[in-house]
Amino acid sequence: MKGYVFVPIFIVSFLISYFIYAQLLPDYIRQGGPLVVLLMVLSILTLTFIVERLITLKRAQGRGNVAAFMRNLRKSVDQGNVGDAIDSCRKQGGCLANVVGAGLERYQFLTTESALPKDEVLDETKRSIEEANALETPILERNLIALSTIASIATMVGLLGTTIGMIRSFRAMGHAGAPDATQLAVGISEALINTAGGLSIAIIGIIMYNYFTNRVDSFNFLLDETTYEVMQQLQRKAPAGQRHG
């Protein structure tokens, strides 16, 4: 998510959170104090990043079944039908198809339009794959740090609310004579509500961060495996422009 997009999302999240805090939340949750608004903002941001990551990773797989696409890709390259393999990549779309397709397009161009030696053709193909991979990988990893950061901040905000609530409770107990039961109850409620809110957001954020990180790692492994196999298949075949040389 771009920086200039984050600011309006944060503002909208704050306005929505404040409205819910002022109009819709039950009284016992409002006793958590103004930090509840910040916790609600963090929860909305967490949900936003989770939805954005789910959509992005879904798009990264492309339009068709990844396993079927890989089988067709390997078959086409093994049979020397580089053009068919490129068409499959274009139809599939997604990060994997984009990276492999970039390499195959470069390979096809060099084998038909140049007289470079086979080793140089393969080196240029590999370089094109690496460049395409460098462009696609950040898309998969975007906002993961933000999700992890929000989880950490939520824990700290919850702890801050807990501390403020306990201060209020001890102040109520420090009154001369009988403790102020109302202020004592409010302080304890504030402490517990902020603790529960902060921990809930942090738990969800950490779980989803680990889930997305695992999916990205698996996807990168699949990408490396596929590009390696394609390069091995291309290496076993002489470039078209040199077969009759």
Side-chain angles (χ1 to χ4, degrees), residues 167-176 178-185:
I167 291 173
R168 179 177 296 185
S169 298
F170 282 115
R171 186 172 59 185
M173 294 176 64
H175 285 176
D180 188 337
T182 301
Q183 290 299 316
L184 179 61

Side-chain angles (χ1 to χ4, degrees), residues 34-106:
L35 286 180
V36 172
V37 177
L38 181 54
L39 288 173
M40 292 175 63
V41 171
L42 294 175
S43 66
I44 293 175
L45 291 177
T46 300
L47 179 61
T48 302
F49 286 131
I50 290 174
V51 172
E52 186 271 338
R53 286 293 82 202
L54 289 173
I55 294 174
T56 299
L57 293 178
K58 178 65 177 178
R59 290 178 177 175
Q61 296 179 355
R63 290 181 284 271
N65 182 271
V66 177
F69 161 71
M70 291 178 59
R71 287 194 299 269
N72 294 332
L73 177 68
R74 294 191 187 102
K75 182 179 179 181
S76 297
V77 175
D78 189 60
Q79 294 176 349
N81 299 324
V82 178
D84 291 343
I86 294 174
D87 290 338
S88 297
C89 291
R90 291 173 178 170
K91 293 177 181 178
Q92 176 71 14
C95 293
L96 176 62
N98 291 341
V99 172
V100 178
L104 291 176
E105 288 178 359
R106 185 63 174 168

Side-chain angles (χ1 to χ4, degrees), residues 21 24-33 36 168 185-194 196:
Y21 174 80
L24 302 179
L25 282 183
D27 292 337
Y28 73 91
I29 295 182
R30 278 206 297 269
Q31 289 179 354
V36 172
R168 179 177 296 185
V186 170
I188 295 175
S189 296
E190 183 174 358
L192 296 179
I193 289 171
N194 283 286

Side-chain angles (χ1 to χ4, degrees), residues 49 141-152 209 213:
F49 286 131
E141 298 176 348
R142 185 184 301 161
N143 292 331
L144 290 182
I145 297 299
L147 193 59
S148 176
T149 302
I150 289 175
S152 299
Y209 171 80
T213 300

Side-chain angles (χ1 to χ4, degrees), residues 205-220:
I206 292 172
I207 290 175
M208 296 309 298
Y209 171 80
N210 290 330
Y211 169 73
F212 290 135
T213 300
N214 182 65
R215 285 194 60 180
V216 170
D217 290 343
S218 299
F219 197 86
N220 285 333

